[in-house]
Amino acid sequence: MSKNFKSADIQLIKRIIPHRYPFLMVDKVVEINSLVSAKGIKNVTFNEPHFQGHFPDVPVMPGVIIIEALAQTAAVMVGVSLDLADKNLLIYFMGIDKCKFRRKVGPGDTLELKVNVLRGKAGSKVWKFSGIAMVNGEIAAEVEFTAMMELPPGV
């Protein structure tokens, strides 16, 4: 990893985004290139609650959960880059565009989550990102999404 990249382990991730089990969908962010790009990791396990019903005999990670993992990776990138740990950052989806699913994701897979900033900068509330989720070098999903990020009043 280059000296210019930052990273975030699960402890730092939990200090930046409000998500918790069963909806914390990123295990670590291994490369954060300021407010430009990031690469996160999600280790997919059979113990995740969505596999109980999606689908019991052939567990498939729901596409919306893959997109959520990409969005959480993007939020961590912004949080680390702007030093927002412990500041109660709130994140809301505003739009999902150009979404395509290319392969199934299931237990035992490792999702590589790559996100890029398309629009947004320090001080912005509304951000736009592109994201690609990959498993073993194969694209599982690709998307553009818009999110609003804000701190609680007084922070």
Side-chain angles (χ1 to χ4, degrees):
M1 185 166 59
S2 167
K3 292 180 189 175
N4 296 331
F5 290 127
K6 294 182 181 180
S7 63
D9 64 10
I10 193 65
Q11 298 307 320
L12 181 54
I13 290 168
K14 289 169 37 179
R15 291 175 55 208
I16 293 171
I17 61 175
H19 307 78
R20 297 294 181 267
Y21 178 85
F23 219 70
L24 181 55
M25 296 297 158
V26 62
D27 294 319
K28 61 185 170 181
V29 182
V30 294
E31 291 180 9
I32 300 170
N33 182 10
S34 191
L35 294 175
V36 176
S37 63
K39 182 171 114 178
I41 301 293
K42 166 65 177 152
N43 295 304
V44 182
T45 70
F46 185 73
N47 295 325
E48 296 176 51
H50 46 264
F51 289 132
Q52 292 177 22
H54 198 271
F55 303 98
D57 295 329
V58 182
V60 176
M61 188 174 195
V64 296
I65 300 294
I66 297 170
I67 303 308
E68 177 67 25
L70 287 161
Q72 289 181 18
T73 300
V76 171
M77 172 185 60
V78 171
V80 167
S81 299
L82 298 179
D83 194 26
L84 299 176
D86 303 317
K87 298 209 174 133
N88 300 318
L89 179 66
L90 300 172
I91 307 106
Y92 307 100
F93 265 126
M94 294 178 68
I96 297 172
D97 300 300
K98 300 179 184 176
C99 186
K100 303 272 186 202
F101 299 102
R102 306 286 187 198
R103 93 185 279 289
K104 292 185 285 186
V105 175
D109 286 337
T110 298
L111 269 176
E112 187 176 298
L113 307 158
K114 296 179 179 182
V115 295
N116 292 290
V117 174
L118 298 177
R119 186 178 65 239
K121 61 184 180 195
S124 297
K125 279 192 175 186
V126 178
W127 294 73
K128 187 164 186 168
F129 303 92
S130 64
I132 296 176
M134 302 183 77
V135 175
N136 295 326
E138 293 179 60
I139 295 175
E142 52 192 325
V143 66
E144 288 184 4
F145 55 94
T146 306
M148 180 173 60
M149 296 189 211
E150 64 181 10
L151 298 173
V155 177

